[in-house]
Amino acid sequence: MVHNTKSMRNLVMMSAVALAYQAAYAQQAAPAAATAAADSQAQAVPSVVVYAQRRLVGESSQSVPIALTALDPLALENTHSLNIVDIGGLAPGTRLAPLGTAPGFPALTIRGVGANASTRSIDPAVNIIQDGMVVAYSAGAIASTFDLESVEVLRGPQGVLFGRNSTGGAIALRTRLPRGDFHARTDVSFGNYNDVNLNASVEGPLGSDNAQGKVAVFYRNNSGTTENRNDGTFVPAPANPAGTGSNHATGYIGAVDELTIKPTFHFDLSDSNKLTLFTQFARYNDDGVAARGVPTPQGANPSLAQTQFGFYPSPAGYHTNLLDPGYVKLRAGHIIAELSSEIGAGVLTTTLAHRQISFDSTTNLAGGPFIGVRLEDNREKNHQSSFEARYNVPLMKGLDLTTGLFYLSTDTHVIENRLIKTTINPLVMQRGEFDQQTDSAAVYANIDWAIRPAVKVSIGGRYSTDRKVIDFAPIAICPQLACTQSFLNDSHRWSKFTPKLIGSWQPSEQVMLYASTSSGYRSGNYNPRITNPAGLGVGPANPETVLAYEVGAKTDWLDRKLRLNLSVYQNNYSDIQQVVSYPQTQGGPIQSLVNAAKGRIRGVEAEIIARPFKALTLEANSAYTDARYTAQTAPIVGVTDLLALRFPNVSKWTYYVAGTVSEPVPSLGGKVGLRVSYDWRSSYVADFLNTRGTTQGAYGVVNANLSFKKGDWSVELYGRNLGNVYYTDNISAATTYQDVGGSPRTYGVRLTKNF
């Protein structure tokens, strides 16, 4: 753990006190004083080094006047977090989940702002930043947390310093740099559902003290956690006149087979120039969506599964009756070059990045043993290139400037094939296709001014411009999926200036108070997933914007044995972009992208860490999110009072509590640790229209880890969702009422060895 400058000053003060004590009193008292000081320091709550303000060196998370949650490798290991989905509960007001209807795609919501549509042409509201590269295309963006130096969850709009503008927030991932000496590590775990996870890395000098390299490998394989059965009840219906049941292969579905390789290199080119290369190659060969048909909720309309197929699913659980789960074949790779050069009194950091991805899949959205709606052998490709130059320079004592240029170019090509049979009529085959090119550019500047040692002001702004060009063929009936398509095209450009102002006051070493106003915007978007041959409904929708106000406090108490961070905010949310799906008897759902509404989101967030004893750490966070629509700005079919609807995927209350005990066992020569956590969320609706039957009720899950560490190795027993609570990541009313995602009780053993 890297200690911040405050901690170092505390250590110096403690040492001075010990020396004075020695001079004034008997010499034999000095060892006791030194021991007490060391014990107090060991009991203090540590801080994580973060780069949220894009400065040259990391800062203590407690000294940064913005709302963020920072996690170091130890926190990721202790919580058995395998990817960014697993850390969602560790940050208040944050929901990090899979999209559900598209494997490998995230649905990220921070402080009530997010995007849960699977339309590939739409930018996310929360950005993922990998080693300075914004991940422009969401496929495969549920990143693994292995081999990371830190994860920073930045809450609120990021409209100045971080890559592409965003309205909800950002998740910044930083890969661990290679060491200068030889080191190797293996981390392997085995769990139920045939789960195998392997992390391994080797690193060291590359023939010179000025060059270091590291290769890290992550592999995961399991059988899936949803059991596919031939169950449920069947009765005669128009598309199933005999009322016969199903007879397909059974067993577990949702299998995972993933491999990621990360070579990282660092070169000291000279005293003033340093180059780091981050590379990554990923391969997924997974099952498709394990959609689980569930009984029609009380008071909801019967589903097509009942009225047309006579199928009544068995009660909800981690099982289904699915004809074919489909597949996912993903190939992705990126290279990021970061060059740091001392120029004049400052440092220029230049980042060049390129990412390519192909995503082939079949997705069965029926939720039952029939076709319903199936996306058949879809083909997706994306490549992106980006450039950023950031210059950090002190202008004078107490006045620092950060300024830079940013450019991102990305091209996406998607072919969507649909097989649809939702009535007695013959099978319908449809095809849609689009190619979209996006160019985003920005110039930004931020000044940090220490008016007094305890009073600081940060003021910045970013001017962004986005241009999108789209060629698309509306989704249309295509016999045998081979037909002549008529392409339409359009283009548009948007520009926006997003300012930020932060003031902070640090009355003591342990207390920092701040207030801020900031803004962010999400570019205008197109919706090529339309069925109207005239192109109606494709858009573009105008950009959405968030103007945020926040006050907060970051405090340490009782000689840094108690940490309490608070934030209170209000987001004024305008031109909210929403994809609205309307059911259609034949031909699948009709989708429309609109600037649906204005909204107001208010919230309170709290984070607490306490170490009452050296061996005990207590953690808690909680968030209250009051998200409301204040005006409807577009007509929406079936909505008479938009202001009465709830925001999708937003729980009004969330809380997370955890306790960790770590105690040496001299007889075994090691240390035993136990961590137990509870993550609870109040109910939320899963779709924009608040369709009856698409509400996830309140739920909480218990996780636990029991570990023993001795020297360079450790063994750990872990369990997640120990109560086997049923919950989902996505609920929809399609051919059936269906759930996707969530995870039943999982457990296993983990072995780690350092060399």
Side-chain angles (χ1 to χ4, degrees):
M1 180 66 65
V2 179
H3 297 286
N4 59 26
T5 55
K6 297 179 186 177
S7 301
M8 297 302 295
R9 285 198 294 269
N10 284 343
L11 282 173
V12 172
M13 293 176 62
M14 291 175 184
S15 299
V17 171
L19 289 173
Y21 188 90
Q22 180 184 29
Y25 297 97
Q27 185 175 359
Q28 61 268 23
T35 301
D39 288 344
S40 178
Q41 179 64 23
Q43 190 178 334
V45 176
S47 294
V48 178
V49 174
V50 298
Y51 298 86
Q53 299 191 101
R54 307 299 301 278
R55 293 181 177 171
L56 291 178
V57 295
E59 305 170 273
S60 162
S61 57
Q62 284 297 99
S63 67
V64 178
I66 61 176
L68 66 87
T69 298
L71 305 169
D72 61 9
L74 182 61
L76 298 174
E77 179 181 340
N78 288 342
T79 56
H80 198 70
S81 298
L82 300 178
N83 54 47
I84 62 172
V85 170
D86 294 331
I87 67 176
L90 304 179
T94 300
R95 181 181 185 269
L96 309 180
L99 181 61
T101 56
F105 283 74
L108 311 179
T109 301
I110 297 179
R111 290 184 167 178
V113 179
N116 63 339
S118 61
T119 306
R120 309 297 199 250
S121 57
I122 297 177
D123 296 335
V126 175
N127 281 333
I128 296 175
I129 313 292
Q130 172 74 61
D131 296 315
M133 176 189 73
V134 60
V135 179
Y137 191 64
S138 293
I142 299 181
S144 170
T145 56
F146 92 105
D147 193 43
L148 292 182
E149 174 186 292
S150 65
V151 178
E152 300 173 31
V153 181
L154 308 174
R155 306 192 296 276
Q158 303 300 311
V160 177
L161 296 175
F162 275 93
R164 181 175 56 187
N165 223 309
S166 67
T167 47
I171 301 171
L173 313 174
R174 185 73 180 176
T175 297
R176 186 175 58 83
L177 295 180
R179 295 166 45 157
D181 58 335
F182 175 82
H183 181 74
R185 185 177 189 270
T186 60
D187 180 340
V188 61
S189 64
F190 305 91
N192 58 334
Y193 300 105
N194 301 311
D195 189 59
V196 177
N197 289 272
L198 170 66
N199 295 323
S201 64
V202 58
E203 59 194 292
L206 299 175
S208 168
D209 292 339
N210 296 325
Q212 299 89 40
K214 172 169 60 73
V215 176
V217 177
F218 171 73
Y219 173 72
R220 187 181 189 192
N221 187 286
N222 63 43
S223 61
T225 58
T226 296
E227 186 179 2
N228 199 16
R229 307 174 179 175
N230 285 307
D231 62 3
T233 302
F234 294 83
V235 299
N240 182 16
T244 56
S246 55
N247 185 20
H248 54 72
T250 60
Y252 284 95
I253 59 175
V256 169
D257 179 14
E258 302 176 357
L259 173 67
T260 301
I261 302 173
K262 290 178 63 176
T264 304
F265 307 95
H266 180 77
F267 305 95
D268 293 322
L269 304 179
S270 66
D271 290 341
S272 58
N273 293 279
K274 302 180 187 300
L275 174 66
T276 305
L277 297 177
F278 303 98
T279 65
Q280 180 171 305
F281 310 92
R283 183 268 296 158
Y284 297 178
N285 291 325
D286 298 348
D287 278 356
V289 170
R292 303 184 294 264
V294 298
T296 299
Q298 185 176 3
N301 295 324
S303 68
L304 289 172
Q306 296 172 313
T307 60
Q308 297 297 318
F309 294 93
F311 173 62
Y312 293 78
S314 60
Y318 292 106
H319 58 79
T320 189
N321 186 339
L322 198 62
L323 182 64
D324 175 16
Y327 72 91
V328 165
K329 181 180 179 181
L330 179 146
R331 301 291 184 268
H334 72 240
I335 180 169
I336 304 167
E338 182 183 85
L339 177 64
S340 175
S341 304
E342 296 181 11
I343 299 177
V347 175
L348 177 66
T349 303
T350 304
T351 304
L352 290 169
H354 181 76
R355 180 179 188 249
Q356 286 195 187
I357 186 167
S358 65
F359 186 84
D360 301 338
S361 64
T362 288
T363 305
N364 190 342
L365 298 177
F370 34 76
I371 288 182
V373 177
R374 189 166 73 189
L375 307 183
E376 186 80 6
D377 292 327
N378 283 10
R379 298 289 181 261
E380 306 178 33
K381 293 184 182 297
N382 172 270
H383 63 83
Q384 68 171 77
S385 297
S386 61
F387 164 81
E388 183 173 15
R390 184 180 75 254
Y391 189 55
N392 297 83
V393 60
L395 300 178
M396 61 180 67
K397 184 178 180 180
L399 192 65
D400 298 318
L401 170 67
T402 299
T403 185
L405 302 170
F406 172 80
Y407 176 73
L408 167 68
S409 178
T410 179
D411 187 87
T412 303
H413 184 238
V414 173
I415 298 175
E416 180 174 319
N417 301 316
R418 293 182 176 184
L419 298 182
I420 300 172
K421 183 175 176 57
T422 55
T423 70
I424 194 174
N425 295 323
L427 186 72
V428 175
M429 302 182 185
Q430 294 182 330
R431 184 185 183 96
E433 184 174 355
F434 79 86
D435 186 277
Q436 177 174 277
Q437 181 173 342
T438 301
D439 293 287
S440 301
V443 57
Y444 60 89
N446 192 87
I447 291 178
D448 296 297
W449 180 23
I451 301 174
R452 295 181 178 179
V455 179
K456 298 179 181 179
V457 172
S458 178
I459 182 170
R462 183 186 193 95
Y463 180 79
S464 303
T465 179
D466 297 274
R467 183 174 186 266
K468 296 188 176 182
V469 179
I470 190 166
D471 294 283
F472 65 99
I475 296 172
I477 295 177
C478 289
Q480 306 304 316
L481 296 179
C483 62
T484 301
Q485 294 176 283
S486 297
F487 279 79
L488 306 174
N489 60 77
D490 195 30
S491 64
H492 204 88
R493 183 186 296 275
W494 303 271
S495 298
K496 184 71 175 177
F497 176 71
T498 50
K500 178 189 71 172
L501 175 64
I502 303 175
S504 64
W505 175 46
Q506 191 155 4
S508 71
E509 288 281 337
Q510 290 77 36
V511 177
M512 192 262 288
L513 308 176
Y514 68 90
S516 70
T517 178
S518 61
S519 60
Y521 105 115
R522 180 159 63 120
S523 169
N525 283 295
Y526 284 97
N527 169 41
R529 244 184 185 178
I530 59 171
T531 55
N532 190 306
L536 299 178
V538 72
N542 292 324
E544 67 177 26
T545 60
V546 170
L547 179 60
Y549 303 93
E550 180 176 347
V551 294
K554 295 188 175 184
T555 66
D556 288 317
W557 305 92
L558 305 177
D559 200 17
R560 294 183 58 230
K561 298 179 181 64
L562 172 65
R563 174 166 299 160
L564 171 61
N565 294 343
L566 294 170
S567 59
V568 180
Y569 68 90
Q570 175 166 315
N571 290 343
N572 295 333
Y573 196 4
S574 300
D575 290 315
I576 300 172
Q577 297 178 16
Q578 282 289 351
V579 174
V580 184
S581 294
Y582 307 108
Q584 184 172 298
T585 303
Q586 185 73 0
I590 300 172
Q591 293 190 332
S592 179
L593 173 64
V594 296
N595 292 108
K598 293 182 179 180
R600 186 269 295 151
I601 307 173
R602 293 174 179 166
V604 181
E605 299 166 344
E607 295 178 284
I608 303 172
I609 305 177
R611 300 191 71 175
F613 310 104
K614 182 179 177 181
L616 175 63
T617 301
L618 303 174
E619 305 168 55
N621 73 63
S622 182
Y624 169 76
T625 308
D626 179 20
R628 300 183 181 184
Y629 296 111
T630 57
Q632 183 172 339
T633 55
I636 301 172
V637 176
V639 175
T640 57
D641 184 9
L642 178 67
L643 275 59
L645 299 183
R646 299 168 60 184
F647 271 50
N649 295 322
V650 178
S651 296
K652 178 165 285 192
W653 287 98
T654 66
Y655 67 81
Y656 176 91
V657 294
T660 303
V661 177
S662 182
E663 189 69 32
V665 182
S667 61
L668 298 177
K671 181 180 290 187
V672 173
L674 172 65
R675 178 184 175 87
V676 180
S677 67
Y678 182 65
D679 184 0
W680 183 88
R681 297 172 183 270
S682 63
S683 67
Y684 62 87
V685 295
D687 77 342
F688 170 68
L689 296 177
N690 290 195
T691 305
R692 187 182 294 273
T694 61
T695 299
Q696 167 67 60
Y699 70 94
V701 298
V702 176
N703 302 326
N705 298 356
L706 176 63
S707 63
F708 176 73
K709 299 181 180 180
K710 181 177 181 180
D712 291 331
W713 66 271
S714 67
V715 59
E716 173 188 311
L717 300 177
Y718 65 86
R720 302 181 65 81
N721 191 7
L722 292 177
N724 203 34
V725 173
Y726 184 76
Y727 68 98
T728 73
D729 294 320
N730 186 285
I731 311 170
S732 61
T735 310
T736 60
Y737 291 91
Q738 62 184 35
D739 297 346
V740 175
S743 179
R745 180 190 299 116
T746 57
Y747 51 84
V749 59
R750 177 180 183 179
L751 304 172
T752 302
K753 172 66 176 176
N754 290 283
F755 300 91

